[in-house]
Amino acid sequence: LHPYMPHVTEAVYHIIKNQTGEIGETGETIGESSENFEKSTAEFEKVSENFGNFTKNTEFLALISEAWPEMGEVDREAEAYFRNFRALVSGIRQIRATYKVADGSKVSYVRVHMRNETLLKVLQEESKTIAKLSGVRDDCLHFELTQAGERGETDTGDQGGLAARGVVPEVGEILVAMENVFDVGRERSRLEKQRCRLEKEVMSLSAKLANSNFVEKAPKEQVDIVREKQSKRSSELEEVISLLSDLQTA
């Protein structure tokens, strides 16, 4: 970003450096204190005033004149935890998108069933951030440790009503209370109509493929098109049936 917005990146650089106690106005260590932000801001203002000449002036330690950072040892465990963190946020967002929950609506209850106790503790510490990023109300994201082959609780607390399920590989199963965030009846009606339409279409395509006269006499390209369409509609039907199943009474 530095070539495009140098004033912003210089400001961020000095704020971070001063808050970690690494540099001061002319290179001295400031250390951590409540005055760091004001000191770093004042230093940047001096750098900004001399922007055209600061690379020639050793009084100012500027980002543009610093050496490229060297990559240290990679924390693979932290990377794995972050991937799971991101996957959980994406999983909850996917459920919201699937059921067309309005962007401004906050989900009032989410339960995550997990089998990895260590990962559970890590994600639990970040529960407020996960909730904020995934559109869940404060203190409404809950974690539960379950054993292999054991099904987690389906109770959605005081919310009751309907819930949607989702699975996040390596993390666990998600149960999301859907009451008060979208019109359950309307969504179920829409899915039922879609299921009926797809069932009729799949039956028609299957019957066509079962007709030996069509398969043997029609051009191969046309038969392949029908097979592909039948496969696609079958997959869509399975997804709709799964969505209807997820709209269960908790």
Side-chain angles (χ1 to χ4, degrees), residues 4 7 33-34 44 49-50 113 149-150 179 188 191 207 229:
Y4 302 98
H7 288 78
S33 74
S34 60
F44 173 68
E49 290 172 2
N50 295 272
H113 304 295
E150 178 181 306
E179 287 293 312
R188 184 188 284 113
L191 290 171
K229 189 174 182 180

Side-chain angles (χ1 to χ4, degrees), residues 108-222:
S108 56
Y109 190 95
V110 174
R111 182 187 292 274
V112 185
H113 304 295
M114 303 178 62
R115 296 191 177 93
N116 186 325
E117 186 174 3
T118 302
L119 179 59
L120 184 149
K121 291 179 180 178
V122 170
L123 295 180
Q124 200 165 37
E125 289 179 357
E126 302 295 336
S127 60
K128 288 187 177 180
T129 304
I130 294 171
K132 184 175 182 179
L133 291 174
S134 53
V136 180
R137 291 181 183 175
D138 293 341
D139 301 321
C140 291
L141 177 61
H142 306 273
F143 294 85
E144 177 187 350
L145 186 65
T146 57
Q147 302 300 321
E150 178 181 306
R151 191 176 183 83
E153 291 290 332
T154 58
D155 180 29
T156 52
D158 297 333
Q159 303 306 310
L162 300 177
R165 287 184 180 274
V167 176
V168 179
E170 305 301 327
V171 176
E173 186 182 41
I174 310 172
L175 182 70
V176 181
M178 305 305 292
E179 287 293 312
N180 304 319
V181 292
F182 84 125
D183 191 329
V184 177
R186 179 184 296 178
E187 181 65 11
R188 184 188 284 113
S189 177
R190 184 187 72 81
L191 290 171
E192 287 288 2
K193 291 178 181 178
Q194 189 175 1
R195 181 176 70 173
C196 290
R197 177 180 62 79
L198 287 169
E199 283 177 341
K200 291 179 180 178
E201 192 169 356
V202 169
M203 287 179 63
S204 175
L205 292 167
S206 297
K208 197 169 187 179
L209 290 171
N211 186 334
S212 58
N213 288 330
F214 169 74
V215 175
E216 293 172 4
K217 296 179 181 180
K220 183 178 181 301
E221 294 78 7
Q222 188 176 350

